Amino acid sequence: MSTYCALPWIHLATHPQGDVSLCCRVDFHERRGMAFDNQKNSERYFYNLNHDKLDKILNSDSFRDARMKMLKGEKPIACMGCFEKEDLGIISKRMIENKFLNIGLEELKSKTSDTGGIKPNIEYAELRLGNLCNIKCRTCNPNSSSKWALEYGSIQNELDFLTKYDLRANFKWAESEEFWDDFLKNTAQLKQLYINGGEPTLIKQHWLFLERLVKMNLSQNIDIKYT
């Protein structure tokens, strides 16, 4: 049975605080679906866009392990949500993306080293550009709204039913020229760009990035969506 999903090869899914996951639907329990390296002391080093490059992130132990399992016909634990849906006869994100991306298993094998490593070439990116936002919607949270964070800090210790968010997290990576330079270096074949936040239109650096895509004659090949 084929268990592969093309996303771990050509996809980037960022999170407001700079973490990166295999996709937006992975198992986030114990951060299983995030980019991390296994350490000698049994702890894990979680990569973050505030201080790590995309080449290291996309070739992290967790990403390489997911690719190797898929190439062997095994099911990565971080991706069980899709397989459980499929067992129930439900169309999963894995099935939708594989049909849309139309990349076969043999092609993915040809791009993969014996240890699951790849040369990063992002075709599809979901960028959650920090938490900078000018509103605080009732349905939102501090991870996606800086306005929410200001209020949340004053009440989260008073109400025991609230989810605990790390208000010390650094959400500034999306305002860094270093990130956008690194992103551009690894997106020569970018086809789809999905951007949200926070409020992405407040991130000036992302407008500059879009202008660079136009000047490099790459923009006409890219579908762009905002939330």
Side-chain angles (χ1 to χ4, degrees), residues 6 35 86 97 100 109 182 192-193 205 219:
E86 293 169 21
E97 299 296 359
F100 172 75
K109 285 182 179 179
D182 190 36
Q192 187 169 13
L193 189 55
Q205 282 75 7
S219 58

Side-chain angles (χ1 to χ4, degrees), residues 42-108:
S42 298
E43 294 184 358
R44 294 177 293 177
Y45 172 78
F46 287 93
Y47 285 94
N48 189 284
L49 291 167
N50 281 293
H51 43 69
D52 294 310
K53 298 293 186 182
L54 288 173
D55 178 66
K56 293 289 187 181
I57 293 172
L58 298 177
N59 284 296
S60 59
D61 288 349
S62 58
F63 276 44
R64 289 189 295 107
D65 180 67
R67 293 187 197 107
M68 291 302 293
K69 280 185 166 59
M70 289 179 179
L71 293 180
K72 295 176 182 178
E74 300 173 7
K75 300 176 180 179
I77 188 172
C79 305
M80 289 307 297
C82 275
F83 297 116
E84 289 169 358
K85 284 184 173 66
E86 293 169 21
D87 289 341
L88 295 171
I90 301 171
I91 297 175
S92 69
K93 181 176 176 64
R94 182 182 83 94
M95 297 169 68
I96 293 171
E97 299 296 359
N98 277 352
K99 182 178 180 179
F100 172 75
L101 296 167
N102 193 29
I103 302 174
L105 182 60
E106 292 304 315
E107 182 178 349
L108 295 178

Side-chain angles (χ1 to χ4, degrees), residues 4 8-9 19 29 38 48 63 65 91 94 99 107 110 116 119 144 150 155-156 170 172 189 222 224-225:
Y4 83 93
W9 278 264
D19 293 336
H29 180 64
N38 298 305
N48 189 284
F63 276 44
D65 180 67
I91 297 175
R94 182 182 83 94
K99 182 178 180 179
E107 182 178 349
S110 70
K119 180 179 179 181
S144 296
L150 292 173
I155 63 173
Q156 70 169 347
N170 186 352
K172 298 295 185 181
Q189 293 183 317
I222 302 169
I224 183 169
K225 300 177 182 178

Side-chain angles (χ1 to χ4, degrees), residues 6 10 28 33 53 59 79-80 99 102 117 136 149 157-158 162 179 183 187-188 197 201 209 221:
I10 53 85
F28 291 104
K53 298 293 186 182
N59 284 296
C79 305
M80 289 307 297
K99 182 178 180 179
N102 193 29
K136 46 183 175 182
N157 294 326
E158 299 175 10
L162 292 181
F179 163 73
F183 184 57
T187 52
T201 59
F209 173 73
N221 302 320

